[in-house]
Amino acid sequence: MIGLISYLAFFATMAGILAIVVLGLNLQWGYTGLFNGGVVAFFGAGAYGTMILGGRPEPGQFGGFEWPFLFALAGGVLLAGAIAWIVGILTLRLRHDYLAIATFGVAVAFESIARNAEWLTGGAKGLRGFPRPLEAAIGNTFVYGLCFLAMVMAVLAAVYWALQRLVQSPYGRALRAIREDEVAARSLGKNPTRLRLQSFVIGSMIMGVAGGLYVAFYAFVSPQDLAPILTFQVWAMLIVGGAGNNRGAVLGAFLIWGAWTGSGFALSKFAPAAMQLYTGPIQYILIGTVIVVMLLWRPQGLLPERITQRFTKTASKVGTTSKGAF
Amino acid sequence: MTALLTIAALEAGYVRDLPILRQVNLSVMRASLTVIIGPNGAGKSTLIKAIAGLVPVSAGTVTLDGADITGIRPDQMGALGLAYVPQTDNIFRHLTIRENLALVLRRVPDRTTRLDELYALFPPLAAKQADRAGSLSGGQRQMLAVAMALSGRPRVMLMDEPSAGLSPKIAAEVLDLTRSLTAQGVTVLLVEQNVKQALRVADHCYILAEGRNQLDGPAAAILSDPMVAEIYLGGKRVGAA
Ligand SMILES: Nc1ncnc2c1ncn2[C@@H]1O[C@H](COP(=O)(O)OP(=O)(O)OP(=O)(O)O)[C@@H](O)[C@H]1O
Ligand SMILES: [Mg+2]
């Protein structure tokens, strides 16, 4: 029983962390139309940044400053934001597919640095040992797992709430306007360059938050965690859930993570031994298939973008206005 | 009457060293309606876009009320009292009608009153305010585009074929509305293919072809000019769309 509950808690913690990443991507793609093909770089920046600042010291290794968790996390998030800012200034003039290629390149470069800058990142073996927040105070591993899950869910709820407020505000309306037609938005006095950059940086910082939580959860990070598959998983989550809908983003994260772990489990249990060697590749094919099928069958996702609530509530009679709408 | 908007020896184009506009001169009197006509590809839209800062200007000047506004950034238009209604893609289809208006009203201090005024001016928009703008008919979309431009109470309206694709009756209504703006002190620079109707409401007319000034004069005089009549009002037609 306790085994099952801790497994479920483990599953939900990971799904919650991924849901935060998907929310970050939804701000960029769903609301602003920015095709970020390098999600994993910003997640990784949050993870490595948090680990270097908050991790345990190791001989011959830079970092391990043992900062309190919140400060280390803030550092990781700032690192993700700073990288996004630099990448954004250089690439945001690019349109959809080119931006995707450029950001994908950034992710590859990031992985390469993590693999080779051993003094900073521990190289291929990664960085290990992280004093998890409140672990010593709580003690019991099982209880701690549940507490950690509660913390991830609280962060997820806070990010969701903040993003909902943001996208329903005039600011969010301006983002959707530039997503649709940059020139027209510009003639209405919006500054698309600035708005796109802001959205890109905020979305990437949200991914950085998830990276920091991930590092605290596993107390370990290595270039393995920066594999491009994570970017595709996150995209699959957003496409399945529904781009432009934050609830869809969270739903997609839980569904796809469930399908991913479920398929891994099923393959390891029921597939013939010879096939088990190929569990990873088979799962990759599954993710790819899900993306393709979804795009063909229901491109708007399970929960499509909706007309903004605040506006639908107002009456549609001639001349009625509500002050709250602005 | 004095000129509010003056264009002098303007050269502008989309690609370096390939000007579409060559030495274009034009002046628009305060609170008047000036119409630009000319065949397809004459450079009418390019001229409007060059004023709005959407096309780079390589030579010449644009002056608004004595101030040089050549090569402004398009997002500065609102602050200068300019509004632009593009020929195409002039609304945000995925936003609701109300959100479209709100995008511009954000800068207007008395936005609630202003919204009411706009809805009173365009009742069909009020009736559909919570729907996506993509669900509007062609004429209603033009209405929304004009309403958006009017939101910020501009001094100068730059309108690129606001009557395109509208039935003759609605087109006439849009042009009448445009005319009525001048009575409220708004200065209008209008591009039109609906030559006869446009000349009926306009004060002054410029004819543009191949990126150059061809002819200009009071609208009534242009309307009765036999050469213009032959080229634009029947007989030999240059471009029909
Ligand atoms: N985005 C663009 N890039 C390059 N060239 C363009 C662009 N838009 C227009 N042109 C060229 O500029 C010239 C003038 O076009 P413009 O749109 O100003 O004509 P117009 O007078 O508005 O015509 P219409 O009556 O068809 O709207 C044309 O030769 C056209 O090919
Ligand atoms: Mg045109």
Side-chain angles (χ1 to χ4, degrees), chain A residues 243-269:
Chain A
N245 184 323
N246 285 327
R247 272 200 295 163
V250 175
L251 174 72
F254 277 81
L255 282 181
I256 292 292
W257 187 240
W260 178 266
T261 48
S263 64
F265 178 77
L267 283 168
S268 69
K269 261 278 184 323

Side-chain angles (χ1 to χ4, degrees), chain A residues 170 173-174 176-181 183-191 305-308 311-312 314-323 325-326, chain B residues 54 73-75 77 84 86 89 91-96 98-100 102-107 111-112 115-116 119 123 126-127 129-132 148:
Chain A
R173 193 166 56 215
R176 282 179 292 141
I178 63 162
R179 174 189 70 185
E180 188 170 328
D181 189 333
V183 176
R186 181 168 267 267
S187 350
L188 295 182
K190 311 293 164 195
N191 184 335
E305 178 175 1
R306 299 234 304 260
I307 291 180
T308 311
F311 290 89
T312 48
T314 60
S316 55
K317 281 183 244 113
V318 176
T320 46
T321 52
S322 81
K323 293 191 182 73
F326 289 97
Chain B
L54 290 159
R73 285 202 327 264
D75 49 284
M77 272 194 287
Y84 164 56
D89 301 324
I91 57 157
F92 299 94
R93 286 175 296 116
H94 294 287
L95 302 186
T96 65
R98 198 195 178 89
E99 285 179 308
N100 268 277
L103 277 173
V104 202
L105 285 170
R106 184 137 168 70
R107 284 149 201 278
R111 46 186 84 106
T112 321
L115 187 64
D116 283 335
Y119 281 156
Q129 55 177 298
D131 297 352
R132 290 212 175 161
M148 283 165 74

Side-chain angles (χ1 to χ4, degrees), chain B residues 10-13 18-24 42-44 46-48 50 55 58 208 210-212:
Chain B
L10 198 73
E11 308 245 330
L18 190 71
I20 301 288
L21 302 179
R22 294 149 192 269
Q23 298 286 320
V24 173
K44 307 181 295 295
T46 307
L47 175 57
I48 298 276
V55 165
S58 47
L208 215 63
E210 290 169 14
R212 295 176 202 275

